[in-house]
Amino acid sequence: ADVTQYIPLPTYRVGAYASSGELWWAGERDYFRYINEVEGGIDGVKLNYEEFETEWSPDRTVEVYERVKAGKDGSPIAFFFTHGTPATYALLEKAAADKIPLIDPAGGRTESIDGRVFPYAFPLLFSYYSQASTGINYIASKVGGFEKLKGLKIATVYHDSAYGRATQPAVELLAKKYGFENIQIPVADPGNEQSPQWRQIHELKPDWVFLRTWGVSTVVGIKTAARFGFPADHIIGDVWAGSESDVIPAGKAAIGYSALAPYPGGADFEIHKRLKKFILDAGKSDLRDQKYFGAVNYNVGLVNAALAVEALRTGYKKFGARPLDGEEGRWAFEHLTIDENRLKEIGFVGLLQPIQITPLDHEGGGAARIQSWDGQKWVLQTDWIKADHEALRPLIEQQAAAYAKEHGITPRTPDTETN
Amino acid sequence: MSEIELRLTGGIGEGVSTRKLTGIAVAALVVSLPFLATEYWINAIIVPFLILSLAGVGLNLLTGYAGQLSLGAGAFMMVGAYATFAFQLRLPELPLPFALIASGIVAGAVGFAFGFPSTRIKGFYLIVSTLAAQFFFEWLFLKFPWFYNGDPSATISLPAGLWAFGIDLNSPHGRYYLTLASVALLTWLSYNLVRSQTGRNWMAIRDMDTAAAVIGVPILRAKLQAFAVSSFILGIAGALWAFGYLGSASVQSFGLTRSYQILFIIIIGGMGTIRGAYLGAAFVSLLPLALDWLFQQLLGGHADAGLLQNIQKVIFGILILWFLIKEPEGLARLLRRQSGNFNTRRFPRLKIRRQT
Amino acid sequence: MNMFLETLIGGLLAGTMYSLVAIGFVLIYKASGVFNYAQGSMLLFAALTFVSLTDQGVPVLVALVITIVVLALMAVGIERLILRPLVNRGPMTLFMATLGLAYIVEGTAQGLMGSQVKALDLGIEDLPIFLGDIMISQFDLTAAAVALILVVALSLLFNKTRLGVALRGVADDTSAALSIGIDINRIWQIVWTIAGLVGLVAGLLWGARQGVQFSLSLVVLKALPVLIIGGFTSITGAIIGGLVVGAAESLGETYIGPFLGGGITPWFAYALALAFLFIRPAGLFGEQKIERV
Amino acid sequence: MTTRSTSAAPVADQGTLLEVSNIEVVYGGAILAVADVSLTIGNGEIVALLGANGAGKSTVLKAISGLASADRAKVRRGHIRLGGEDILGLAANKLAARGIVHVMEGRHVFPHLTVKENLLTGAFLHRPSRKELKRQLDDVYAWFPRLRDKQSTQAGLTSGGEQQMLAIGRAFLTQPRLVLLDEPSMGLAPRIVQEIFEIIVRLNREKGTAFLLAEQNAALSLAYARRAYVLDTGRVALEGPAADLAARDDLHRIYLGDGP
Amino acid sequence: MTTPSPPALEVRNISLAFKGVKAISDLSFEVAPREICALIGPNGAGKSSLLNILNGVYVPNSGEIIFEGEHFHRMQPLEAARRGIGRGFQNNALFSGMSVADNVIAGLSRHARATLLEEALLLPRARAETRRFRERAHEVLGLFNLEHHAETIVATLPYGVQKKVELARAIVAAPRLLLLDEPLAGMNAAEKQEIADIIATLNRELKLTIVLIEHDIGIVLKLAHHVVVLDYGRKLADGAPDGIRDNPEVIAAYLGGDKVEIAA
Ligand SMILES: Nc1ncnc2c1ncn2[C@@H]1O[C@H](COP(=O)(O)OP(=O)(O)OP(=O)(O)O)[C@@H](O)[C@H]1O
Ligand SMILES: Nc1ncnc2c1ncn2[C@@H]1O[C@H](COP(=O)(O)OP(=O)(O)OP(=O)(O)O)[C@@H](O)[C@H]1O
Ligand SMILES: [Mg+2]
Ligand SMILES: [Mg+2]
């Protein structure tokens, strides 16, 4: 039989978040299938992925974690995708004790970027602080430089939840640094009626709005903005407010709306050509409706899958082509590097930013492109815009240190660790 | 004059000794369980099952016994969890068991307060009070950083983990015994209560409150007691759910779906029975797993996963309906019937005879 | 002052959107005494059916007819498979049954029609119109008009027709209704069909606002305080409750919210409902529970 | 004890209206309430059903009217025929349309409807014209003037006796062929009880309506009925002409515990 | 059995209206200690309403109640129970989901002293109380020959038995005034006699004052010491049983003119 690496996937194909989940796991599975069937696995190791429905409930993700953490069919698990910030939080300590890395790209716990305190947590790719910072950087570029930020009013309309508030410390810091006025306006879940919020916007007249909602609250937000005459092209949506399902239902109101895109939309990237040929046209895709091929959420799945595959590849180089366990998985992720060359090889140029993860930096990227909606599709506006890591790093370290103190953790000193 | 004679058919009181034996066997099994079950079973199934059962017992006191419909079970669990967090964080000297009790008391006080409207509002209208609690606490514990100690994700987890009197309870076994002890103790207390005068007062109010008032049942006090005791238990269940099972929690762990789940447990298990809470909890914790397993076995990974999930959901719905239709008084009653001794037989009935 | 008026009017109009959802709920409660948790799922199902059809290129009218037929079939199914076997059971059991029903409807809807968000354009231009300085949403205005029409029509049905009297009787005592020849099965089928249609109307209006997708089923949470304030049994109550909740939410979020950190809408409506109930324990227009000894 | 049996001699035409043969009724799949009951009711006949508390009278009536299923009871054995046609398993409302109406024990008025609306629900069955409807209502008000006074009160708030009158009036409005009356005299003032029995006799004479009366008050119902059945713990223990049964004092002693 | 001592209960100028419709108008009468007072009258005369006023379920629009020398403008249900006013209901108002014994013990609520904590922890006082209550309940059930039904859920009992349970519940707490609303309805003659005997015994042995409503005039006249006749909320007659049957007004309003004997 094949040598296999077991990859459990907590998913949410039903329930309130199904519309993103369905595409997301189609992308992820299509890529894994591509690796298995076209590339013959990773160095010959096949991926054995299995889904577990959680409806995005952290409790059920915990349950799945318990179920799979010992591995399956002789393969341990090298990492655990939580696919949800609350789930990451719920598992943080368990996973550290079990020595299983938690992978939560473009989410997770921001200060776990500091791998000295959080060896087993990876808020890969694009942490919440980077999201805030990239948004501000983009606004700066639009207004003609950072100096021009001074005196601007930037309002954040956010989903009133931990997710929605996760950027607040970063925005506050940047507001101080650049001198813009920081307005925060909460929208209570589910956010299907936002007149009071946008009437407030109407009164306060901010120059830009950073939209950090999710699900219906994005659609309703964009529509209500239009109703109150706030221009869509001065709204910047966050990662999770930037998929097709966020704008299509908003109709015309969404034209000109832009969003941060660590996972750009579109089916013209190299990898899509390969998938089209080997998976879609071969009738093996997990997509029910091919019109969603290249949708933002589908691409989320592709990118996340690619990150996992590249990390495993890194690990196999060091430990040999055999299933990795959690500790080896951590090593693999902590030494994951995907440079331009590698991007070209795997067909992800433009879709995935160059990544370099180290024990000190579990994020590894921290950039996004900006895409805007033209009424039919997302159009990419920029190349990768990087977050202001120098500004953010002290805040992150400070919070990580506080966590370490509270939990009695002595931070590792990875420099002296033998690899 | 006339003499009334009773004729009883069908045995009552048979099998007492077998019941005792079964009891002992079950107790032995429960205590030694950690050494029989895998870690996965303990962590992911048994511990949450026990906690859900406890929550079911708590809600059953209020809804099943006292007849006050509540959709706020999640809220009271939430209060318990956040209170435990606050005690452990700010009063680290207070040992965990006492912190749990204190949190239960806090939750009980909150339940007491939100129970006040029940003195005027009845039936389905009463859900407004418990729903208000539900949404209010979701908002409160998210809004004010004090409650989650300023953690950026607004989640809570015990700073020092689970320790009681110097014993480390963080291992699966530790958590199992902590949960088991709390659940068993509180179940015992509840059992005593429902068989006491207070329990009778609750049931009287449930069955007919005007009549209850007239025969001297202190309605106001009994209702508020029901709210307080129920919330006390729910509060402890919430704390266990957060720290004994999940490890960390946020308001989402105690959202409206949790409230529905607990209500569902007592209805499917049997309103107004302590046993029912356990059966209902077993049903809701095991059924999704069973369906999951079944589908994996039947179809491997070959069918459209999204479709399968939806089918599962439909099946779950159908099973709920099937149970409700089949046995209105819940699993507790169904099982009793299956276990014989309850088949077609005449109820004790009267026959009147006249002496000559 | 303008800000205040605008907030108030905006709130009132938004409130009628809640009423739309509440009306379907009242219908069912009034005729079968069932606290129908599945109203939200039915709303989703109705809207999703319609939108999926139009997405396939089915002409709007045909799609509408098909949707109505589907809803009627669903009502018959619900009556046969759920209400009939559960006749004379307690309100709690029925409530739970609707929870099961919600699972079935949601699973079916999404299983058949997918969970992707579908856009719905009703052709109602949503640009604000101005009344002096006060901005009013055209969309909400339309919704309010629709709600008003529904309320009038259904109130007439309940209070002026034989069917209406029979319906109310059925909710009071099913055995008695049966004993004097009221065909409760047919009545339930009719009522659930009407409730489905009301759900369709609400689903379309809400769907146009936020896209047709799962979270459409969550709008019931908005309808609950409306029902509680208006009373479970009153159609008129549903609309007035909606106005009260809409206005209060809007004013509350604008004028009280900032002192509490904002985002208070989810519980504010419930707190308000609680206050109302203290004054009138069966809602503003609801029937008092009758208990004689 | 004086009884009057003169008025209780309505001429029944030949032919059987209802035939119940060997039914067994079980509640909730577990409680056997009626073990073996057979009885017949002729066209236009008044039949009394007697028996001690818990003998199964109400259950038999529910089995006939189809309302048993609403109480989670099931007829497990036997047949019930109306005019020769098997009606077992037919829904209660269908049976009402065929002329069987059941006045249940415990009144069962619609509490939230007004007294008048309650009566209307009964009258709707045959879709009468507006004028006809008014005439029928007036009939009922003539029988029970108390109800006219209470027309617009919610039925749930009226007194016990008023509710009983209402339930009976509502049932009569369905223009039944066979009325199943469960303890009609319960809670009524003696004068009203008399009146109700007078009405029964009148309807029986004028319209040929048949009645099955389940009554605790044996003397009373035997006085008005033509034939009677006595139930004991779910079985028919005795049957015969009412007058004969009334004359037998062992009947009272053994099954009803009536005073001599 | 009229005694010179002050009345146990006095109803003075009581009026009650629902939404302007008079149910009771300016009603006054007295009940002597230890007597059985029967309230009779046509349906809707206001009999049940009067009992409801006496134990606080309804609030009269005017008038007062004097119970054992104390004046009340309105009663509270709990207060009435505390003062020893027991009650049986017209439509059975039993706690249908509870066993017979539990129903009866619930009637002892106002004598319960153990606290919640004592009950939960099964402390001695709670245990003793439970035992005492149970004994007391069985004693009373014995009186009605109901011991064997003690553990049956009342909802499954025939109507007649339920009536007895209700009576047992009403007297378990040893009330001083017992209000009974049609305790004999729905029973056959033998059972009626049996209950009537029990009521008479209670009255005699326990020196209970009883106000009862009953339509079976035969029994009423045998049982009661004093009869009050109501019609349309007004007092039609008030006096010893002997005069009542022949009172033309009572015959016209209530008994009916026909010579037919209803009761056995
Ligand atoms: N809903 C029910 N559920 C369970 N058992 C029932 C139910 N209704 C009646 N029974 C049982 O069925 C038997 C027959 O009852 P039924 O009511 O038919 O007697 P009945 O002759 O009408 O008595 P009564 O004179 O008291 O009205 C009784 O033993 C009773 O306990
Ligand atoms: N809560 C109430 N609301 C409105 N009307 C009421 C209420 N209670 C009683 N009534 C009315 O008051 C009158 C007296 O009712 P009550 O129940 O006291 O009569 P009763 O003498 O007990 O009659 P019965 O012998 O039929 O039981 C009735 O006409 C009834 O409709
Ligand atoms: Mg009966
Ligand atoms: Mg009365």
Side-chain angles (χ1 to χ4, degrees), chain E residues 84-99:
Chain E
I85 303 184
R87 166 85 190 257
F89 300 90
Q90 179 169 10
N91 306 315
N92 277 353
L94 286 171
F95 307 127
S96 54
M98 294 160 66
S99 70

Side-chain angles (χ1 to χ4, degrees), chain B residues 346-349, chain D residues 27-28 31-34 51-60 62 71 105 182-183 214 216 231, chain E residues 155-161 186:
Chain B
R346 283 181 174 280
F347 249 47
R349 57 197 352 284
Chain D
Y27 280 97
I31 303 164
L32 182 64
V34 168
N53 264 311
K57 303 180 295 293
S58 302
T59 308
V60 169
K62 282 189 260 181
D71 275 350
E105 189 176 38
D182 203 345
E183 315 249 357
Q216 289 282 1
L231 294 190
Chain E
T156 57
L157 287 172
Y159 185 83
V161 183

